[in-house]
Amino acid sequence: MWPHCKRTNSNFLHLHGNRAAGVLVGHPFDTVKVRLQVQNASKPLYRGTFHCFQSIIRQESMFGLYKGIGSPMMGLTFINAIVFGVQGNAMRMLGRDTPTNQFLAGAAAGAIQCVICCPMELAKTRMQMQGSGEKKSSRKMYKNSVDCLLRIYRREGVRGINRGMVTTFVRETPGFGIYFLAYDVLTRQLGCEPDDRYLIPKLLFAGGLAGMASWLSTYPVDVIKSRLQADGVGGVNQYGGIADCVRQSVRKEGYVVFTRGLTSTLLRAFPVNAATFATVALVLMYARGPEQGAGDCEAASQPAGRHPQGQAQAQTSGL
């Protein structure tokens, strides 16, 4: 789905830079999300999204919002490479650029990148929860994300660093599929053609809504994943597994538990995903050049009937 260009490395660097910027902008919202998802319902530290933001800044400084950012920044390149490669190859294997195939290709990409995503998010979650409500934590269990994974590995082995793998798989597989499906359907309905003067605003809108749709479709699973990955930080495991986590969470907090941190997630999802797709479109336009790629790019061979904007759809989400 990507055009074969002489500037492919430049394209990837631009896209990677965009994703890195997305992580920097979106990570504070993610920290708030995780804190709200995992906090003790009987003794809550935070009353809601904005109170959580204020409390973290007041008690832990601005740096508190960026706890655990090292993990997603390190995993960014690997996840980008996996998702770009798998989604693009899956679309070529499926042959036709249809909404169904977009879903299948996206789901395949989401499933395979779990190998990197799960340990990455485990370290991120543990770091985000460390020293909650403390300006200077008197006892730091982990120095950084790498130290976090090494300590978990020494104590629990490979199984330990893959804690939450099942819930990550259940979240990422349909989540990526719905993301690519929603983006494909929206861009078709909006009529995103290469010569459209409103192409970028339309891509911003479609990308933002696609990101929100993806998160809404799998958010309850994300709550359980966060709780399982944060479990056992003090040495005592509260949950016996996925079913036990769901059962205890619903019994203590009701079904509203599955919406904990959703506001923060949606506030992050729209701008980050909108910016991702807009940047991708701009990079592809730059790569093709003013004469639609004459001399610089040769479009990948595509079956007849392929949608004109299909080339701009093999992107990873900002999930």
Side-chain angles (χ1 to χ4, degrees), residues 27-28 30-31 35 56 59-72 123-137 140 145:
H27 193 79
D30 187 75
T31 299
R35 294 280 183 95
I56 292 173
Q59 297 167 352
E60 305 170 47
S61 80
M62 278 293 294
F63 293 108
L65 293 171
Y66 286 93
K67 286 182 177 179
I69 195 172
S71 178
K124 175 186 70 68
T125 300
R126 293 288 179 93
M127 292 297 295
Q128 286 172 323
M129 294 303 300
Q130 183 169 254
S132 297
E134 301 176 13
K135 181 87 173 182
K136 287 186 178 180
S137 180
K140 284 188 177 182
S145 297

Side-chain angles (χ1 to χ4, degrees), residues 5-291:
C5 303
K6 292 179 180 179
R7 285 176 282 193
T8 301
N9 291 336
S10 177
N11 293 349
F12 184 80
L13 289 172
H14 276 81
L15 294 171
H16 177 74
N18 176 65
R19 291 298 309 281
V23 171
L24 287 171
V25 172
H27 193 79
F29 293 93
D30 187 75
T31 299
V32 170
K33 180 205 74 168
V34 171
R35 294 280 183 95
L36 291 172
Q37 286 176 331
V38 176
Q39 72 173 340
N40 189 335
S42 59
K43 296 179 180 179
L45 287 173
Y46 315 112
R47 295 192 298 270
T49 300
F50 298 106
H51 180 252
C52 185
F53 263 111
Q54 292 171 347
S55 298
I56 292 173
I57 293 172
R58 185 175 63 252
Q59 297 167 352
E60 305 170 47
S61 80
M62 278 293 294
F63 293 108
L65 293 171
Y66 286 93
K67 286 182 177 179
I69 195 172
S71 178
M73 290 297 281
M74 286 188 295
L76 195 63
T77 302
F78 299 105
I79 288 179
N80 276 347
I82 291 171
V83 173
F84 279 114
V86 172
Q87 204 273 350
N89 283 309
M91 284 302 298
R92 281 190 287 273
M93 289 175 63
L94 292 168
R96 289 178 56 81
D97 184 8
T98 64
T100 300
N101 286 348
Q102 287 285 349
F103 176 85
L104 294 174
I112 293 175
Q113 60 94 42
C114 287
V115 176
I116 303 295
C117 180
C118 181
M120 180 193 81
E121 294 212 349
L122 173 64
K124 175 186 70 68
T125 300
R126 293 288 179 93
M127 292 297 295
Q128 286 172 323
M129 294 303 300
Q130 183 169 254
S132 297
E134 301 176 13
K135 181 87 173 182
K136 287 186 178 180
S137 180
S138 56
R139 185 185 54 161
K140 284 188 177 182
M141 185 173 293
Y142 311 115
K143 297 176 184 177
N144 50 53
S145 297
V146 175
D147 180 62
C148 176
L149 289 176
L150 287 173
R151 286 176 179 270
I152 294 172
Y153 177 75
R154 292 194 200 103
R155 190 169 59 249
E156 305 174 48
V158 175
R159 185 176 180 179
I161 62 173
N162 285 295
R163 179 187 292 270
M165 177 63 80
V166 174
T167 46
T168 301
F169 180 84
V170 173
R171 182 195 70 177
E172 297 292 271
T173 303
F176 269 75
I178 290 170
Y179 184 83
F180 282 102
L181 170 65
Y183 180 74
D184 184 72
V185 170
L186 285 166
T187 51
R188 290 174 191 271
Q189 293 298 317
L190 291 171
C192 296
E193 304 295 342
D195 57 349
D196 189 342
R197 61 183 295 188
Y198 298 112
L199 177 63
I200 298 303
K202 288 180 178 179
L203 292 178
L204 283 168
F205 183 71
L209 286 186
M212 294 178 72
S214 176
W215 272 108
L216 285 169
S217 66
T218 59
Y219 194 76
V221 182
D222 185 68
V223 174
I224 300 303
K225 181 198 73 69
S226 293
R227 293 191 167 203
L228 288 172
Q229 290 186 324
D231 192 32
V233 173
V236 180
N237 290 316
Q238 181 180 351
Y239 307 114
I242 298 172
D244 184 52
C245 181
V246 172
R247 188 163 48 248
Q248 287 194 47
S249 298
V250 172
R251 186 176 69 247
K252 294 176 182 177
E253 303 172 56
Y255 289 101
V256 72
V257 68
F258 296 119
T259 65
R260 301 286 188 212
L262 182 58
T263 301
S264 174
T265 300
L266 296 181
L267 285 173
R268 177 189 64 166
F270 190 93
V272 170
N273 287 285
T276 295
F277 278 106
T279 302
V280 166
L282 289 170
V283 168
L284 289 175
M285 289 177 184
Y286 164 77
R288 288 203 299 261
E291 297 181 3

